[in-house]
Amino acid sequence: MKKIILSLAFLVLFAGCEKEEGIPQKKQLIITSNSHAQEPSSIALQEIIDEYNKNQTDVNVEFIPGSSDYEETMKTKMATNSLPDLFGTHGWSINRYKEYLEPLNNREWAQYVSPAIKPVITDNDEKFYTLPLDIDIVGLPYNLDVLEKANVDPKSIKTTDDFLVALEKIKNIGVTPIYLGGKDSASIGNIYDWIVPGLIILNKDNPQGENLKNGIFDEKSWNETGEFIKTLKDKGYINRDALTGNDAARALGTGKAAFLFFGTSMIREGLTYNPNARMDFIALPTKDKTEKSYFITGERMAIGVWKNSPNKKEALEFLDYLAKPENVSKMATANVLPPGLTNAKSELGKFEKSYDLGNQYQYVGFFDREYLPSGSWETLCSIGAGIISGQLSVEEATKKMKEDFDRLKNK
């Protein structure tokens, strides 16, 4: 009897397995990005994916939002050649991820890639490897109410000397000229990333761009960047709690600070503290008076396809769906940024005119992505903090930067 019961059990189990195997299984596509789960861009992307999945009979797309260790996770996946089917390239589609990505020049939507972002995502062979859903445009956020009180016209700030004069005027009315939120080290790293191009790259006398790209680090020129940060600290132009502060948006919105070295998203956040505040952003200044001031452009939300994905065909089909004008518009609007494709339009609200920049400015890529080896960002943050705290002299900070530059360039 036991044998009969066991035999029947195996038959039922086998029949169940046979039935399960007879059901067509959907292919699972994984897409990830560096955006955290609650960021507007992640929410918008999930909504697009949900709509896509409704109409798919053989594919299911799963979105895995990023976390604080996204870069380290991606480096591990590159080392083991086990990348997601689609992933966010967060500014590194060329210099870090290119060899893992499928070229996208032959996609129908490629003709619409915005000229404002195309040079940044294109390699020397005129190929690009990521779908730019929006364009990260970086300028210096400011509070106009504070600047007017200090008798500073933000549009008149063209050079680094103009900037320092403006900071002194702001300090004289009892307002913190620049708020650094060192608890998030990005604002300290951003001083380097944003100001260095105007000091040593866009400079006719001794430009360092080609040297850096060719692995040559000029310590004398780099000292100039550290001296600029030291001046901000010594002159009292930054908040006293620059290394521990964590209230940048509130400081800008409530008029406790005039400028931030954070992205323009801080302006939107600042409005939550003071809806009546007048805030905007300006181009970054150059040392060379003959050079135009500049904005930094780069990838914000950009997605590529792993070239060795077992589901590459389906991944490219989803990317094409994501590139539809209505979806690009949705993603760009979520970040309140211009769209990465010219056949889409984002809703910028009160910032519509702010992003209508024209050709009176220069446009450059993010300094660390363009000119420094991968992994240099952490060094920029640490040496900047060292100068501000007084733990590093300008020369010591330069020496540390050179050591890491030489080490990382050979990786």
Side-chain angles (χ1 to χ4, degrees):
M1 177 64 72
K2 275 186 178 180
K3 287 183 179 180
I4 294 171
I5 292 171
L6 286 171
S7 297
L8 286 170
F10 277 118
L11 282 170
V12 171
L13 180 63
F14 180 76
C17 291
E18 202 170 37
K19 185 177 180 182
E20 188 74 17
E21 288 175 3
I23 299 173
Q25 297 296 306
K26 286 187 176 183
K27 286 188 176 181
Q28 295 294 318
L29 288 184
I30 300 297
I31 177 172
T32 186
S33 84
N34 60 316
S35 293
H36 295 192
Q38 297 308 312
E39 289 188 40
S41 57
S42 288
I43 294 170
L45 180 57
Q46 186 63 64
E47 290 173 354
I48 292 169
I49 290 171
D50 290 345
E51 192 63 32
Y52 183 77
N53 284 339
K54 284 180 185 177
N55 302 311
Q56 298 303 308
T57 57
D58 55 356
V59 170
N60 184 73
V61 180
E62 179 185 356
F63 173 45
I64 301 176
S67 61
S68 58
D69 62 350
Y70 179 78
E71 288 199 49
E72 291 307 312
T73 299
M74 293 303 292
K75 287 177 182 177
T76 300
K77 289 184 176 295
M78 285 190 288
T80 57
N81 202 32
S82 57
L83 289 153
D85 302 294
L86 303 101
F87 59 91
T89 53
H90 61 104
W92 292 96
S93 63
I94 299 299
N95 291 337
R96 182 180 298 172
Y97 297 121
K98 172 183 167 180
E99 64 181 288
Y100 300 94
L101 292 168
E102 181 75 9
L104 300 172
N105 298 63
N106 65 344
R107 311 314 294 179
E108 189 277 331
W109 48 263
Q111 62 186 303
Y112 300 112
V113 173
S114 171
I117 188 70
K118 193 168 185 178
V120 178
I121 63 172
T122 302
D123 68 10
N124 293 332
D125 296 322
E126 298 300 316
K127 292 182 179 180
F128 68 92
Y129 304 81
T130 196
L131 165 62
L133 294 164
D134 53 26
I135 305 172
D136 199 3
I137 295 181
V138 171
L140 198 62
Y142 66 85
N143 183 309
L144 183 58
D145 300 310
V146 172
L147 267 56
E148 286 186 349
K149 188 177 178 182
N151 196 28
V152 171
D153 176 6
K155 304 299 183 184
S156 70
I157 300 174
K158 305 295 184 185
T159 68
T160 48
D161 285 343
D162 295 337
F163 186 46
L164 293 174
V165 169
L167 298 181
E168 182 66 23
K169 288 182 178 181
I170 295 161
K171 176 187 169 185
N172 289 340
I173 65 167
V175 175
T176 299
I178 299 171
Y179 186 97
L180 297 179
K183 191 170 182 180
D184 177 354
S185 62
S187 66
I188 295 174
N190 283 345
I191 300 180
Y192 275 111
D193 223 27
W194 298 7
I195 291 294
V196 168
L199 293 174
I200 66 172
I201 304 297
L202 306 175
N203 186 337
K204 291 184 174 65
D205 289 339
N206 188 25
Q208 291 299 307
E210 288 305 310
N211 278 345
L212 290 169
K213 285 185 176 182
N214 291 325
I216 300 169
F217 187 91
D218 186 309
E219 292 184 57
K220 183 178 179 181
S221 294
W222 192 265
N223 279 343
E224 192 173 345
T225 69
E227 289 290 355
F228 187 85
I229 293 177
K230 187 172 185 297
T231 296
L232 298 181
K233 186 240 183 179
D234 290 349
K235 293 283 188 179
Y237 295 156
I238 58 178
N239 49 307
R240 291 181 180 178
D241 61 342
L243 297 179
T244 58
N246 191 32
D247 221 2
R250 185 193 296 270
L252 189 71
T254 58
K256 296 293 196 306
F259 293 103
L260 299 181
F261 276 91
F262 276 105
T264 52
S265 62
M266 282 293 179
I267 297 175
R268 300 192 301 278
E269 190 174 338
L271 289 170
T272 65
Y273 297 105
N274 180 11
N276 297 318
R278 294 182 296 157
M279 294 178 285
D280 207 334
F281 59 95
I282 55 170
L284 294 155
T286 58
K287 177 186 175 185
D288 189 333
K289 294 179 180 179
T290 66
E291 290 281 349
K292 296 177 182 178
S293 51
Y294 59 97
F295 287 99
I296 297 170
T297 63
E299 302 171 23
R300 176 68 177 275
M301 193 66 169
I303 305 293
V305 171
W306 181 29
K307 70 178 183 181
N308 292 328
S309 166
N311 306 310
K312 184 165 71 173
K313 176 179 175 291
E314 291 80 7
L316 287 168
E317 288 173 355
F318 173 72
L319 196 71
D320 290 342
Y321 177 81
L322 194 55
K324 286 187 172 185
E326 61 269 28
N327 291 331
V328 174
S329 297
K330 185 182 183 77
M331 293 299 300
T333 296
N335 278 333
V336 196
L337 288 171
L341 302 186
T342 58
N343 61 342
K345 181 174 174 57
S346 55
E347 299 298 326
L348 299 173
K350 64 166 59 180
F351 300 107
E352 195 79 45
K353 290 184 179 179
S354 301
Y355 286 110
D356 186 15
L357 303 176
N359 59 7
Q360 68 267 40
Y361 304 105
Q362 298 186 75
Y363 299 92
V364 302
F366 284 90
F367 175 75
D368 67 305
R369 301 173 190 173
E370 292 283 319
Y371 298 102
L372 299 180
S374 177
S376 299
W377 172 251
E378 289 77 10
T379 306
L380 293 180
C381 295
S382 66
I383 65 173
I387 292 173
I388 291 170
S389 67
Q391 293 180 336
L392 292 177
S393 68
V394 169
E395 291 73 22
E396 288 170 337
T398 295
K399 182 180 179 182
K400 172 62 177 169
M401 188 70 234
K402 177 172 171 48
E403 288 174 356
D404 284 6
F405 180 91
D406 290 340
R407 173 177 59 84
L408 292 168
K409 77 180 181 183
N410 294 319
K411 267 193 171 184

